[in-house]
Structures are given as C-alpha cells and as structure tokens.
Amino acid sequence: MVVLTEQNMNELEQGAAKAREVIINTVYKVGAGHLGGPLSATDILTALYNQVLNIDPKNPDWEQRDRFVLSKGHSAIALYTVLALRGYFPVEEMETFDGMQSRLQAHPDKDLLPGLDMSTGSLGQGISTAVGMALGAKLKGDSFMTYCMIGDGESQEGQMWEAADVAAKYKLDNLIVIMDYNKLQQYGWAGEEEARLNPIQNPEIKWKAFEWDVTTINGHSMKEIIDACQKAKKTVGKPTIIIANTVKGKGVHFMENNYLWHSKVPTEEEYAVSIKEISKGGLNHDS
C-alpha cells in the first residue's frame, strides 16, 4: 500500500496545476484543442503517471510496464502533457500540438509517440483494446496491470458493455477502468442548455450488474484516486471500475460545468484569467 505523505500530496497537486497550465497554454497558442474533458481528467492522469503506474520513461517499451489506454481519445492533450512532465519527451514539444508533422496529434497515435500504448479516438473502442491487453497478460502469465480511462459520454456506446461483459467473464482482475464522470458531454438530446441530460445515470448500478468491482471517488482528490487504485490491485477474480466524480473544465471558474468549453480556444482575456486561476497553487486536499 502506498502511503501518501503531505509532501507527496503537495507535489502531486502542484504537478496537476502545472499540467492544467500547460494544457491551457497549448490550446491558446496553437489555436485548437479540447479543454473541458482534459481539465476534468488531469488529476487522475497526474496521479496515475506519478504514483500508480509501474513505468519507466527512459524505457517506454519495457515489456512488463503497466499499460494505459485513453479511451476518451479527444482528451489526448492532457495525456501528452502528463507524459511530457513525466519525462517522456520535452515539454517544449507541446507547442507543436495538432500540427501536420507533429507527434502530438489531436487523438493519440501510438506509432508516433513513445509512451502511448494504444491509438484511440473512436469512442467506445478503447476499453475493448484494454480488455485484450489484460486477457493477453493473463494468458502469457505476465504480471503487469492494464488501466483504461473512459468517458461518461462514450458509455452510451454498446461496445462498452460488450467489453464489460467479456472482462467479467474472464475474471480480469488485472484490469482497472476509470470513468471520468464529469456528467457533461458536448451534445445532448435536449435543446435547452439547462435541460441537458447526464450522459449515464447510476453507473455504479450498471457496472455492478456486469459483475465488476465498483468504487466511487472524488476524481480531484489525489488520496482517493491512489487509494482506489491500490484497492483495485488487490481485488481478486473480477475487474474493477473506479467511478471518478469530476468537474468538466476543472480549475477555471467560467469553464467549469460549461459544455461550451468542451472544445474552444480562449480569447486573450480568457487566457490571462485562466492562467491566473490555475497558478494560484493547485487544489485543496478535499477539493
């Protein structure tokens, strides 16, 4: 069990704040990219790559590394940022994001960038590849864990539930799925903003019905994220899903819970306000 000290907590929170700053700075400078979903996922990704995953940035193809699949591939900019800050490639390369010759495309391409375990973008498909990785590890006797981040919006895809069924059937206790449950997708059935429906209601009940071990946490609490992952590693005989309650656009007041910031470039004034808010010192421990 990882014991998280006050210093560890502060370092992780500062790392997440730095990641948010890089994400916003990148989108502003290149004039393209998603913000809402990446900002809601930043704390989870920071915790994973700095505290949870068994990885080596100097040896990204290490056979026994833990695998990570970003099923909600449109949030790639958050993953790139965390990888860069972890040492997989220079942070300065973020300025090439979404460029024609860049390794940092709008959706992850594992053939371009070391540290990526799967190319994703078509929503609902990433979890299937994660199931395949976990099943392959079981068959080969490998000890690595497979992690997969899914979105609540893509949970409307039927393929998600086919994968969930298969994972439970083969008792893939080496698979940990994390739902970025920010409860706000870009498009909805309702025409009125205030009438937008939550993408998935009662996910705990649904995943339990598929015989998964289910844990619900605050997805902006480093302690809860790490504790949930440690608990999941000890689960025997079934896969685990961590329902991480998050805030879309986390860290910038006018982006939070605003679907318009799913994918939008800040103006000069919005950029200045965003960076000021993010750079105040990171998150409170109970935020």
Side-chain angles (χ1 to χ4, degrees), residues 9-262:
M9 184 83 76
N10 289 336
E11 289 175 352
L12 288 169
E13 290 174 352
Q14 290 169 13
K18 177 61 178 176
R20 285 189 169 89
E21 184 177 335
V22 173
I23 291 168
I24 293 170
N25 187 60
T26 300
V27 171
Y28 174 71
K29 286 188 173 181
V30 306
H34 291 74
L35 282 175
L39 293 178
S40 68
T42 298
D43 298 305
I44 299 166
L45 292 170
T46 298
L48 288 176
Y49 277 88
N50 290 278
Q51 197 75 38
V52 176
L53 297 180
N54 186 21
I55 52 175
D56 182 0
K58 295 181 180 179
N59 185 14
D61 295 325
W62 174 40
E63 281 294 323
Q64 291 306 312
R65 71 189 183 280
D66 286 342
R67 271 49 168 189
F68 177 77
V69 178
L70 181 67
S71 190
K72 45 174 284 180
H74 56 284
S75 290
I77 192 170
L79 177 56
Y80 297 154
T81 297
V82 171
L83 286 172
L85 292 173
R86 188 66 171 82
Y88 280 86
F89 62 91
V91 177
E92 292 75 21
E93 190 173 343
M94 290 298 299
E95 296 181 5
T96 73
F97 174 73
D98 206 26
M100 287 292 290
Q101 305 303 319
S102 177
R103 299 191 296 175
L104 312 177
Q105 290 300 304
H107 293 84
D109 186 338
K110 69 181 182 65
D111 294 328
L112 295 179
L113 188 68
L116 296 179
D117 292 313
M118 189 60 201
S119 304
T120 55
S122 297
L123 294 179
Q125 296 185 6
I127 188 174
S128 291
T129 60
V131 168
M133 291 175 185
L135 181 57
K138 283 281 189 182
L139 294 173
K140 292 174 62 180
D142 289 332
S143 59
F144 66 81
M145 300 292 295
T146 297
Y147 296 77
C148 178
M149 178 181 283
I150 63 173
D152 50 6
E154 71 172 332
S155 296
Q156 299 167 30
E157 301 281 355
Q159 183 170 344
M160 293 279 294
W161 303 102
E162 294 175 2
D165 191 35
V166 169
K169 176 181 179 180
Y170 290 104
K171 305 182 187 304
L172 299 182
D173 49 17
N174 58 342
L175 174 64
I176 300 173
V177 172
I178 303 173
M179 177 187 288
D180 180 15
Y181 193 31
N182 61 39
K183 309 170 189 67
L184 187 65
Q185 64 189 106
Q186 184 176 21
Y187 300 108
W189 295 109
E192 299 296 329
E193 292 182 31
E194 61 273 15
R196 283 178 173 263
L197 301 176
N198 187 331
I200 177 172
Q201 299 283 355
N202 303 314
E204 293 88 351
I205 294 174
K206 293 178 172 65
W207 284 92
K208 283 180 181 178
F210 277 83
E211 299 182 343
W212 282 53
D213 188 70
V214 180
T215 300
T216 301
I217 64 167
N218 173 358
H220 299 303
S221 165
M222 292 298 178
K223 184 179 188 306
E224 291 190 31
I225 295 166
I226 293 166
D227 285 352
C229 289
Q230 293 301 320
K231 173 180 175 289
K233 287 181 183 180
K234 296 181 178 180
T235 299
V236 178
K238 59 173 62 177
T240 294
I241 183 164
I242 299 169
I243 310 294
N245 287 290
T246 60
V247 175
K248 195 157 190 172
K250 177 68 175 177
V252 181
H253 79 278
F254 58 83
M255 294 184 188
E256 290 187 351
N257 293 314
N258 186 342
Y259 78 95
L260 294 174
W261 284 99
H262 178 90

